[in-house]
Amino acid sequence: MTQILDPVFEITDEPESLEELLKSVKLLLKYSTKVGHRRKLNNPSTSFDVISLAGEMMTSTTNTNMFTYEIAPVYTLIEGLVLDQMRTMVGWPPSQGDGIFAPGASMANMYAICVARHKFIPSFKNLGMVEQRKDLIVFTTSQCNPSTPRSAAIIGVGLKNVIFVDCNERGQMSVTDLERKIVSSLAAGSLPFFVSATSGSAMLGSFDSLTEIADVCDKYNLWLHVDASHGGGVMFSANHIHLVRGIRRAHSVTWNCHMMMNCTLQCSAILIREKGLLEACNSTCATYLFQQDKHYDVAYDTGDKAIQCGRHNDVYKLWLLWRSKGHTGMSDHVVRLFKMAAVFQEKLKSTPGVCMVLPEMEFVTICFWYVPEKMLKMTLKIPLNMLKFDWLEGNNNNNNYKNINNNDDNDNNNNDWLPTFYKVVINNSATTSRDIDYVINQMKRLADEEVNTLMMMK
Ligand SMILES: Cc1ncc(COP(=O)(O)O)c(C=O)c1O
């Protein structure tokens, strides 16, 4: 690859002709992963809707920075409207609460933990951590996205203060263990403040039981954050919204619209139930940007809520996409993804050599092991993880190989280790039953080839 691309990557002293530039663009497109392909099934942030692509083009054409209303009047209003719509879907009262679009869910999760800390210890912003005598404690599970412990590390909570609550075999947080761990951290003189639950985990697609977790958070006065990066989309569908039952009791919610909603990258919202906290936590009142004597209501300036200065307009493409489909179209899209995931699961179940990680999937994430038939008959034992071949159309990375226990150096984590398995995520509503047949046949064909090679090596 580098041999092919190196000549066109080069930036020379002299300008390149338009013809040469176009040649290189074609080559780069040829070798880029085709994430919009309907057989590209390995990641929830792959497929995208063309209307949102048009929105992204419009965004780039206007090239507007989001920090003040005067530079982005239209987009600021759209952002306010869309965030309000999203909060209403979560179940919070209309026109209340707060939020902002962040550069990815990892950043959105970090917003949540910062705001929660500000709520618990407002003096932290001014005095910093030296004045903090107690260890601040964050609770999550091994199924969380790594951005949760990373945020805790970045903001000074410390990785050692991230407590991993046990999960059941479906990857859902054990509420009993959560309470037990809160009680023991209180007994140890720490200050538990933040619980991060997941709706649609990256590995198993699991949904934590939010109502029960909210009960525990209320009892001990803890902030409940829901990372619904992937699973947030179920709120469009009356058939599937039960998966996030209780989400309205969260204090903050992360929702990645570049996942299930098929917006182009990146489009991540952090939603906060209490108005004013975001600005109180992050504002530094830069006088050259946020003068208080402007000719309009300065509440429209969103920049001081953000941890960035300049901010990309991520909302326009989402608004355009959402408007083009309406709520009904969004719901149809989500229902279709679930339907195709069920088709995939059924086809896998009738494929010899397949073993499902979970007996029944809950979401659009399907996890399984596959041992080729030929191998089942062989006496030679080959570790499963040697069979790392790319069998999904357009797949050029190994994201399909996941290990449930990604925190095995953490004493708090007692989840059982699972051998590496395959993961498929249905995210493109253009994917058909025939595509699924194709993918499964490819898997079998490539596995057979791999086994033949291994047998020859024997
Ligand atoms: C549950 C969950 N949270 C957070 C993230 C991080 O999202 P981003 O890549 O937008 O930072 C992911 C990514 O897969 C995720 O699945």
Side-chain angles (χ1 to χ4, degrees):
M1 182 84 128
T2 44
Q3 274 171 5
I4 300 167
L5 295 181
D6 264 356
V8 301
F9 278 160
E10 203 184 355
I11 298 172
T12 52
D13 286 345
E14 296 308 315
E16 209 58 81
S17 69
L18 191 57
E19 202 183 18
E20 276 306 310
L21 290 180
L22 282 174
K23 242 173 39 193
S24 62
V25 167
K26 280 187 188 158
L27 202 60
L28 298 189
L29 273 177
K30 180 176 172 192
Y31 287 101
S32 292
T33 305
K34 312 298 179 293
V35 296
H37 198 289
R38 60 185 201 280
R39 290 178 187 158
K40 175 81 181 134
L41 306 174
N42 84 335
N43 191 300
S45 58
T46 47
S47 70
F48 57 88
D49 192 287
V50 284
I51 300 284
S52 107
L53 178 62
E56 184 62 53
M57 287 172 178
M58 166 80 172
T59 298
S60 299
T61 308
T62 48
N63 198 28
T64 308
N65 205 321
M66 289 295 283
F67 43 36
T68 62
Y69 177 78
E70 63 211 307
I71 190 83
V74 175
Y75 298 138
T76 301
L77 294 180
I78 291 179
E79 190 177 53
L81 185 144
V82 171
L83 286 168
D84 197 36
Q85 183 84 55
M86 294 173 90
R87 285 191 302 266
T88 309
M89 287 178 72
V90 166
W92 298 336
S95 311
Q96 289 180 34
D98 217 333
I100 201 156
F101 279 84
S106 304
M107 294 299 287
N109 286 339
M110 191 157 92
Y111 267 108
I113 196 167
C114 288
V115 169
R117 183 179 61 184
H118 184 77
K119 172 78 178 170
F120 278 76
I121 315 167
S123 62
F124 203 105
K125 181 177 176 184
N126 190 31
L127 301 176
M129 65 181 81
V130 279
E131 290 297 314
Q132 185 52 41
R133 298 280 170 246
K134 290 184 174 184
D135 277 346
L136 294 174
I137 307 290
V138 166
F139 299 91
T140 187
T141 70
S142 62
Q143 300 301 295
C144 76
N145 182 266
S147 56
T148 299
R150 190 186 302 124
S151 301
I154 292 170
I155 75 159
V157 164
L159 282 181
K160 82 168 178 53
N161 293 324
V162 179
I163 308 268
F164 290 91
V165 177
D166 290 351
C167 291
N168 64 16
E169 68 293 344
R170 297 193 63 88
Q172 296 164 312
M173 185 185 286
S174 155
V175 182
T176 320
D177 191 52
L178 171 65
E179 183 158 12
R180 193 173 61 77
K181 286 180 167 145
I182 293 171
V183 170
S184 72
S185 75
L186 283 168
S190 303
L191 181 60
F193 80 112
F194 189 84
V195 176
S196 180
T198 310
S199 292
S201 68
M203 279 189 280
L204 294 175
S206 50
F207 284 75
D208 288 331
S209 303
L210 302 179
T211 305
E212 285 86 347
I213 295 172
D215 288 342
V216 175
C217 289
D218 283 354
K219 184 169 170 188
Y220 295 95
N221 185 31
L222 267 64
W223 182 283
L224 172 58
H225 173 65
V226 178
D227 181 353
S229 295
H230 190 190
V234 304
M235 286 185 272
F236 281 103
S237 160
N239 297 346
H240 305 291
I241 195 169
H242 65 89
L243 290 168
V244 292
R245 186 175 292 125
I247 196 167
R248 66 178 178 80
R249 293 177 62 192
H251 298 89
S252 54
V253 173
T254 292
W255 186 350
N256 250 1
C257 308
H258 63 240
M259 289 185 162
M260 207 169 198
M261 287 172 79
N262 277 189
C263 207
T264 50
L265 274 164
Q266 56 199 28
C267 191
S268 308
I270 175 68
L271 309 172
I272 312 271
R273 200 198 315 164
E274 185 176 328
K275 201 174 177 71
L277 271 183
L278 200 52
E279 186 149 8
C281 173
N282 296 324
S283 68
T284 45
C285 307
T287 47
Y288 77 103
L289 280 172
F290 308 119
Q291 303 91 338
Q292 296 302 297
D293 57 352
K294 291 183 181 175
H295 64 276
Y296 57 81
D297 179 355
V298 291
Y300 284 103
D301 285 348
T302 55
D304 226 10
K305 295 179 187 180
I307 53 179
Q308 305 162 256
C309 181
R311 195 162 60 87
H312 188 254
N313 162 17
D314 291 329
V315 74
Y316 178 75
K317 61 194 171 196
L318 170 63
W319 169 81
L320 200 64
L321 158 72
W322 197 339
R323 218 167 118 75
S324 76
K325 285 188 186 300
H327 299 298
T328 316
M330 294 306 280
S331 165
D332 291 348
H333 163 70
V334 170
V335 169
R336 164 93 186 165
L337 299 183
F338 271 86
K339 192 173 152 212
M340 280 300 127
V343 169
F344 204 116
Q345 176 180 253
E346 289 320 303
K347 286 182 189 282
L348 278 176
K349 280 184 177 174
S350 58
T351 304
V354 166
C355 174
M356 306 304 290
V357 174
L358 299 176
E360 289 301 325
M361 50 147 226
E362 213 180 0
F363 192 33
V364 293
T365 307
I366 306 142
C367 304
F368 63 97
W369 292 280
Y370 174 60
V371 182
E373 271 184 293
K374 274 187 187 171
M375 227 174 119
L376 290 172
K377 295 179 197 135
M378 285 163 64
T379 46
L380 174 68
K381 293 269 182 288
I382 300 167
L384 260 180
N385 62 6
M386 279 185 71
L387 295 173
K388 288 188 175 180
F389 38 80
D390 289 343
W391 52 270
L392 296 179
E393 183 83 356
N395 186 13
N396 67 355
N397 61 38
N398 280 338
N399 276 353
N400 289 66
Y401 311 100
K402 298 289 179 191
N403 181 341
I404 190 174
N405 191 353
N406 62 350
N407 296 301
D408 43 5
D409 56 352
N410 187 311
D411 291 343
N412 294 310
N413 177 39
N414 66 355
N415 279 318
D416 291 332
W417 179 85
L418 287 177
T420 302
F421 54 81
Y422 293 108
K423 185 184 85 170
V424 160
V425 180
I426 306 290
N427 208 41
N428 189 335
S429 41
T431 302
T432 62
S433 183
R434 279 184 61 195
D435 294 323
I436 292 171
D437 287 337
Y438 174 89
V439 166
I440 294 176
N441 285 335
Q442 282 291 89
M443 171 178 82
K444 292 196 291 197
R445 185 180 68 74
L446 290 166
D448 277 347
E449 275 177 28
E450 193 84 4
V451 173
N452 287 343
T453 314
L454 288 168
M455 284 166 82
M456 281 192 322
M457 280 161 51
K458 192 176 141 188

